[in-house]
Amino acid sequence: MAALLQLYTQINVIKEEYYTQNRIAEENRQREHDAAVKIQSWFRGCQVRAYLSHIHRQATVIQKTCRGFAARQHFRERLKTAYFLMKIHFYNKMAVKIQQRWRGYFVRTYVHNFYARKRYLDELAKKNGQIRRELEELAEQQRKERERTAMEKEEKEKYTQAQRLHFLLSTKQCPGVFNSPFRQEPDEMELRLRRVKPVRTQSAPKEPWHLNQQPLSLQYNKDKLPPIHKTPQGPFRPAVEVQQQRYRPLEPSLRVATSITALEEAREELRRQEWRTRLIDQPFVPFSKAQRNRRYESLLHTASPYQQEEYGKKHFREEDQDQLKGKQPFKTVFTSCQVFEKYGRLYSNAGKIV
């Protein structure tokens, strides 16, 4: 009872405290509401961002796995293709090597006789050496002949000059030009002048009838001046040389001297020269059907009556001829296309299995 009485006495104070607390709560309600909203928004944002990060990581893992699988599968396909192409190139190279070995053997054995050709070239080299030595001897002989001719011509010119300059010969009273008193010995020309005789002047020969082609009227009306002296005075040219120079034949130009068929003649001469220097009349045409069904031709250094045998009779197909009838002929060389057709499917299937 005492407590109840005490409460009744304090009821006003309690009411005032209640009203005060309500007023303070009303005043702080909006601020607390805004703070709660901010806390909730921050928490929910962190939660959503964490979820999105988790989703992105999982998507990245899925994409990485798918792309790695697709890249490995594409790499396997590329590896199979590269391996197949490498094999095809290898087979092509081996086929080409087999073909060139076989064709070289066939040409050396049945088309060109190597050893006969070698003997022919050795004999030809010996013959060329002998001809070269003969030509060198002939060239040396011709050189000596030219030197001798040049010396004779020079001697003749000196003799002719000495004849023309004979009037310069020295006498007992008057020394000549080539016999100076200041020399110990006379000059070589002085000695020549003593040995030769002077040139006797001769009258010019009459003109031949075939050189004088002028009309009679011009011949009769031609005025000839009388000579100043009966004999020429001084070192003049001989009358015969002057006459030859005056009536020398015409020198036609290149256009007149050249034949109209000079080009055709030159081409024909080139063809004949090429035919003379050619070693084989029928040139070898490689990798064609020109040599097929060609009979054996005897060489220059052989005289065998035997002919070329058919290929294959000596080493195989001599036995069991009846069993080979109707079968496909033996092939020693495969082309690249045949190799591709034969092994293409095999390697494509192998690639699928891998």
Side-chain angles (χ1 to χ4, degrees):
M1 290 296 289
L4 181 62
L5 180 62
Q6 189 178 359
L7 288 173
Y8 275 115
T9 56
Q10 296 179 357
I11 189 168
N12 295 325
V13 178
I14 294 173
K15 287 181 180 180
E16 290 178 1
E17 185 71 20
Y18 175 74
Y19 290 135
T20 302
Q21 293 294 332
N22 285 338
R23 182 173 54 79
I24 293 171
E26 288 294 334
E27 292 177 357
N28 296 330
R29 183 177 298 172
Q30 186 65 31
R31 186 168 57 84
E32 292 176 355
H33 180 267
D34 295 338
V37 169
K38 184 176 293 186
I39 293 171
Q40 291 178 357
S41 63
W42 173 81
F43 177 76
R44 289 172 182 174
C46 291
Q47 188 178 9
V48 170
R49 283 192 292 273
Y51 180 71
L52 290 178
S53 300
H54 174 71
I55 291 176
H56 289 166
R57 286 195 297 271
Q58 298 301 324
T60 303
V61 172
I62 295 172
Q63 292 177 358
K64 179 172 63 176
T65 305
C66 295
R67 290 173 181 176
F69 176 78
R72 285 189 292 272
Q73 188 175 6
H74 180 68
F75 176 74
R76 291 193 191 97
E77 296 295 333
R78 293 287 297 273
L79 184 62
K80 292 176 185 178
T81 305
Y83 180 76
F84 179 72
L85 292 177
M86 182 181 67
K87 285 293 183 181
I88 290 297
H89 294 329
F90 175 75
Y91 290 145
N92 290 340
K93 186 176 180 180
M94 293 298 104
V96 169
K97 185 172 292 186
I98 293 171
Q99 289 176 356
Q100 69 180 7
R101 292 293 179 85
W102 162 248
R103 287 168 179 168
Y105 167 76
F106 181 80
V107 168
R108 289 191 299 271
T109 306
Y110 298 102
V111 179
H112 297 292
N113 193 338
F114 173 75
Y115 296 101
R117 180 70 174 175
K118 187 176 180 181
R119 290 194 300 271
Y120 170 74
L121 292 178
D122 293 340
E123 295 294 333
L124 188 61
K126 294 179 182 178
K127 187 66 175 178
N128 290 342
Q130 181 181 0
I131 293 175
R132 190 178 293 108
R133 288 191 296 270
E134 294 178 358
L135 290 176
E136 290 177 357
E137 293 176 0
L138 180 60
E140 184 66 20
Q141 184 179 359
Q142 290 179 354
R143 186 184 62 81
K144 293 180 180 180
E145 184 68 21
R146 286 194 298 269
E147 291 179 357
R148 186 183 61 82
T149 306
M151 290 178 63
E152 291 180 355
K153 184 177 180 181
E154 185 179 359
E155 189 68 23
K156 187 176 180 180
E157 291 178 354
K158 290 182 179 179
Y159 183 81
T160 306
Q161 186 180 7
Q163 284 184 335
R164 295 176 180 175
L165 301 177
H166 190 271
F167 62 92
L168 298 177
L169 180 63
S170 62
T171 60
K172 293 181 180 181
Q173 301 296 331
C174 181
V177 178
F178 303 103
N179 190 13
S180 175
F182 302 100
R183 292 175 179 266
Q184 296 180 1
E185 296 180 358
D187 190 70
E188 181 184 0
M189 182 58 69
E190 179 67 22
L191 301 178
R192 288 182 179 275
L193 294 176
R194 294 177 184 179
R195 290 196 302 266
V196 301
K197 296 181 179 181
V199 179
R200 296 185 179 274
T201 58
Q202 299 178 1
S203 60
K206 296 182 178 180
E207 299 177 358
W209 63 273
H210 61 277
L211 297 177
N212 193 0
Q213 301 294 338
Q214 296 180 355
L216 297 177
S217 59
L218 296 178
Q219 294 180 9
Y220 294 140
N221 296 332
K222 186 176 181 180
D223 297 333
K224 294 184 179 180
L225 297 176
I228 300 175
H229 303 284
K230 295 182 179 181
T231 58
Q233 303 292 324
F236 298 107
R237 291 178 178 269
V240 179
E241 186 178 352
V242 175
Q243 197 74 11
Q244 291 177 357
Q245 180 69 18
R246 180 180 297 175
Y247 295 102
R248 63 181 179 181
L250 296 176
E251 296 180 0
S253 62
L254 182 60
R255 182 176 180 182
V256 177
T258 307
S259 175
I260 193 173
T261 59
L263 181 60
E264 289 75 7
E265 293 175 358
R267 290 177 179 174
E268 187 65 26
E269 180 62 26
L270 286 177
R271 294 193 193 97
R272 287 196 296 268
Q273 184 178 1
E274 182 183 2
W275 180 83
R276 287 195 302 269
T277 56
R278 188 186 304 166
L279 298 178
I280 302 176
D281 292 339
Q282 297 180 358
F284 172 70
V285 183
F287 313 133
S288 66
K289 299 181 180 180
Q291 307 295 334
R292 183 177 294 181
N293 300 328
R294 180 179 176 184
R295 301 187 65 84
Y296 178 77
E297 296 181 0
S298 59
L299 300 177
L300 296 175
H301 302 284
T302 59
S304 176
Y306 302 102
Q307 296 182 353
Q308 179 182 358
E309 296 182 356
E310 296 293 337
Y311 171 73
K313 288 186 177 180
K314 185 176 180 180
H315 302 286
F316 54 88
R317 294 196 178 185
E318 293 182 349
E319 300 178 357
D320 300 333
Q321 294 291 335
D322 298 334
Q323 296 181 6
L324 296 175
K325 291 183 179 179
K327 292 186 177 181
Q328 186 178 3
F330 180 75
K331 295 183 179 179
T332 58
V333 178
F334 291 97
T335 60
S336 59
C337 297
Q338 294 174 352
V339 172
F340 180 79
E341 293 177 0
K342 186 174 182 180
Y343 295 97
R345 296 181 180 179
L346 176 60
Y347 281 96
S348 62
N349 296 330
K352 291 180 180 177
I353 294 173
V354 173

